[in-house]
Amino acid sequence: MTLSAILTVWSPGPNNILLLSTASKYGISGNLRFMTGIWSGSLTLMCLSGLFCSTLGKVVPGIQPVMKYLGAAYVLYLAWQTWRRLPPSDAVQEKKPTWLMGYFLQLVNVKIIIYGLTMFSAYILPYETKAPILFGFAVYLMFLGALGNLIWAFAGNMLKRFYSGHYKLMNGVMALLLVWCSLRIAGLL
C-alpha cells in the first residue's frame, strides 16, 4: 500500500507540478500557507474517502471487488497519462498561492480523490473497519502526500530543469511503476 501511495502522490500531478513552479518563484516560506491548504484538503478527502468506501461496502457488500478493479483501471489510466506527459511549462503564475487555493485544489483534484478511494477500497477496508484506525490511515495517507509535496517544493528549479531534459525516461519509469501498482491492486501480482 505504501509503495502504491508513494508512487501516486509523489509522481507529477496538479499539486506537485504547481508546487514545483510556485516554489521556484516564491520559495518554501512563500508556499507554506498553500501547502497547509493542500494538506488540510487532503486530510478532508482521505476521511471522506474512508467514510464513503466503508459506508458503500456495508450498503452494497459486493462493491469491494468492483472498486478494486476500478481503482486498478484508474492507476493504469494514470500510467498512460504519465507516459504521455510533457515537461512542465514555464508559465508564470501571477497570484501568490493561498491556503484556500490549496484546500480547494484538493477538493477538485481527481488524482487525490481516486487515490483515497483506491487506497481505502483496495488496501485498508478489506482488513480494517474501526473508525479510529481508518482515521489513522487517513492521516498516514495525507502524510505521505505531504512528504511528496515537500520533496517537489524543495526540488524547485533543479528538478524542473532535470525533468525537462529527461522527461521521457522519467515518464517511462513512473508509468511502468504505476502499471506494476495496478497489477498489484487487481491481485494479478
Side-chain angles (χ1 to χ4, degrees):
M1 177 189 86
T2 298
L3 180 58
S4 181
I6 285 172
L7 287 172
T8 302
V9 295
W10 291 14
S11 66
N15 296 339
N16 294 335
I17 296 298
L18 189 55
L19 282 169
L20 176 78
S21 175
T22 59
S24 67
K25 184 172 183 175
Y26 301 111
I28 298 300
S29 61
N31 272 308
L32 280 178
R33 287 185 179 154
F34 182 58
M35 283 191 287
T36 58
I38 288 173
W39 303 338
S40 300
S42 181
L43 182 58
T44 301
L45 279 178
M46 293 307 104
C47 290
L48 290 173
S49 295
L51 181 64
F52 176 76
C53 288
S54 176
T55 303
L56 190 60
K58 290 174 186 165
V59 173
V60 185
I63 198 72
Q64 191 92 16
V66 174
M67 293 297 286
K68 178 172 77 168
Y69 290 113
L70 285 174
Y74 181 72
V75 172
L76 279 177
Y77 168 76
L78 287 178
W80 173 249
Q81 291 300 317
T82 300
W83 172 254
R84 296 181 47 223
R85 183 174 295 122
L86 296 174
S89 71
D90 291 328
V92 177
Q93 177 159 350
E94 296 301 324
K95 186 175 180 186
K96 188 173 180 180
T98 65
W99 182 91
L100 205 54
M101 288 171 64
Y103 187 82
F104 284 115
L105 173 65
Q106 286 306 87
L107 298 183
V108 297
N109 187 342
V110 174
K111 179 182 175 186
I112 298 302
I113 293 168
I114 298 298
Y115 161 69
L117 295 174
T118 301
M119 293 296 117
F120 277 98
S121 64
Y123 294 111
I124 300 166
L125 288 170
Y127 309 104
E128 189 57 62
T129 59
K130 295 180 182 91
I133 295 175
L134 294 180
F135 179 74
F137 274 111
V139 170
Y140 177 68
L141 293 172
M142 183 277 307
F143 179 73
L144 290 175
L147 285 176
N149 295 155
L150 286 169
I151 289 168
W152 280 80
F154 279 114
N157 281 335
M158 183 180 76
L159 183 58
K160 183 177 179 181
R161 280 189 224 116
F162 178 79
Y163 180 65
S164 294
H166 300 85
Y167 74 94
K168 284 198 181 269
L169 174 65
M170 289 181 65
N171 287 354
V173 169
M174 287 187 285
L176 287 174
L177 290 170
L178 285 169
V179 168
W180 178 79
C181 284
S182 176
L183 294 173
R184 296 280 300 166
I185 290 170
L188 299 174
L189 286 181

